[in-house]
């Protein structure tokens, strides 16, 4: 297998970090420890930080911009406001 270029590496590591975040969420739900101060809550925080780091690197490498992320955030929050009480509709 040939070496991956920088952008390919970014995507691979981002996928891996997103997978680890999924696992951290699943463990918290399974163990019903979401409101505790356990190692599983700390793991969730660590994995969120890792995913955020990868998003920051994707911006640094010009794969996307903070403006594009913000625009999508508004779209997603508006979608969520239709079927969830997590957030209100944004303008």
């Amino acid at each position: 297998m040939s070496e991956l270029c920088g952008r390919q590496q970014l995507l691979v590591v981002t996928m891996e970090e997103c997978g680890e975040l999924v696992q951290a969420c699943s463990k918290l739900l399974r163990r019903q420890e979401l409101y505790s101060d356990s190692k599983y809550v700390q793991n969730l925080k660590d994995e969120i930080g890792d995913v955020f780091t990868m998003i920051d690197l994707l911006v640094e490498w010009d794969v996307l911009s903070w403006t594009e992320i913000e625009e999508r955030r508004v779209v997603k929050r508006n979608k969520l406001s239709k079927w969830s009480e997590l957030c209100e509709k944004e303008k």
Side-chain angles (χ1 to χ4, degrees):
M1 185 167 131
S2 63
E3 274 192 42
L4 299 175
C5 73
R7 283 181 168 224
Q8 290 170 322
Q9 289 178 45
L10 273 172
L11 293 178
V12 169
V13 176
T14 300
M15 288 186 297
E16 291 170 353
E17 294 300 342
C18 287
E20 291 173 14
L21 178 55
V22 168
Q23 287 181 336
C25 291
S26 178
K27 284 180 183 177
L28 266 180
L29 289 173
R30 255 192 351 260
R31 296 179 184 278
Q32 299 180 353
E33 294 186 20
L34 186 55
Y35 300 103
S36 71
D37 190 22
S38 69
K39 67 179 182 179
Y40 301 103
V41 173
Q42 184 56 54
N43 186 49
L44 175 70
K45 293 175 183 179
D46 292 346
E47 295 306 336
I48 290 169
D50 292 351
V51 169
F52 184 82
T53 299
M54 296 314 300
I55 292 168
D56 192 45
L57 283 168
L58 288 164
V59 170
E60 219 174 278
W61 279 70
D62 294 322
V63 175
L64 73 163
S65 69
W66 287 115
T67 301
E68 291 168 316
I69 292 169
E70 177 59 25
E71 289 169 354
R72 182 61 194 171
R73 185 189 72 82
V74 171
V75 169
K76 183 61 177 179
R77 289 181 69 96
N78 286 336
K79 280 184 178 180
L80 283 170
S81 72
K82 292 178 184 176
W83 60 268
S84 170
E85 295 178 5
L86 291 172
C87 52
E88 296 179 11
K89 188 171 184 170
E90 291 198 16
K91 297 176 181 178

